[in-house]
Amino acid sequence: MIIIIMLGIAASIRGGVGIGRRLSFAIRKESLTWYRNLLVQNQSDSFNYTPPVVCCFLWAQRPGVVLENFARHMSIASLELRTDNDFVRFSITKDGYSAKEKKSMKKVPRYVKMSKKAKLNELRFYRLKAKKKMNSPNPEVRIRYKLEKAKRKEAWLIEKLRKLEVPKTPGEAYDPEIITEEEKHYLKRTGEKKKNYVPVGRRGVFGGVVLNMHLHWKKHETVKVTCKPCKPGQIHEYAEELARLSKGIVIDIRPDNTIIFYRGKNYVQPKIMSPPDTLSKDKALEKYRYEQSLEHTSQFIEKLEKELENYQEHVARYKNRKEAAVDSTIADV
């Protein structure tokens, strides 16, 4: 074996490519035979060992490569003989796996696209499962199913409203003008007499409301903002929000949900009359619908929780009564 290795080294150095290839096969075969015999003697499945014979063989097979590169690879890796799956092979890596095996191990299983029939079958299965819970003879199962469904809807609505929230941009420092009581009284009387107004409906405060206020202020000093579907206390929130967005001054808030705004003495119409940190008309309507749905869903959840609590109390009371009847019967006997 040593003679074969020395001949292979000599053939590789002299440039005999054909002789080197033929001898490389003989060396590989001889090395495998030697390792197999050593495995049988030690009775082990895998071991790390780098014999000088194999090192000489590797050096002889790469005459054109710089020896420093070879030494660098040999310093960080060991030659491992692996015999899994009834095959004997060498591995010169840190963890004992080749690059191809590592690549196959890292592969993520591809998503199997479901057919149309499989999707319909899955939907049919979930519908039957839901129908079974809805028509269950046990009232607790029915209540719990409705409660879970309502809570899922509530979480979905909260996520939708979170996406529709517009972050408030830090605007310029706004210093409102100081108005005397006489001026305030005059502006209040003037605003009540004039008929120009801006409606705030179910959409609430959005960019179009502020735009209309600026358009009214082009010819009038004051403008009325009427809020029709307004909850108690919501009119003050609208007044603060509109004053921040339009840079106007709140003159009066009337009991009929009307706000009178004054444009200011040094009013200059801005180039962008609709602020960027407001919703559009369609988005504001979508937000209103989600808010209404969330309010009704929350009320429905409270109702179901109360109903479930009452049912559990009824079951506990019936169970206690039954146990008391059994105990009295046993005592009589």
Side-chain angles (χ1 to χ4, degrees), residues 4-14 23 27 56-57 59-60:
I4 294 171
I5 292 168
M6 296 303 294
L7 286 172
I9 294 170
S12 301
I13 292 170
R14 290 178 182 178
L23 288 175
I27 293 168
C56 293
F57 165 67
W59 178 82

Side-chain angles (χ1 to χ4, degrees), residues 235-276:
I235 189 70
H236 297 280
E237 296 177 7
Y238 284 164
E240 291 177 6
E241 187 70 13
L242 286 170
R244 182 184 68 84
L245 294 170
S246 65
K247 303 295 188 295
I249 302 169
V250 180
I251 299 298
D252 186 29
I253 299 176
R254 299 177 63 186
D256 57 345
N257 295 334
T258 304
I259 313 167
I260 300 174
F261 279 96
Y262 173 53
R263 67 181 183 181
K265 296 175 184 178
N266 304 319
Y267 171 73
V268 178
Q269 194 176 64
K271 293 180 181 179
I272 302 172
M273 291 185 282
S274 181

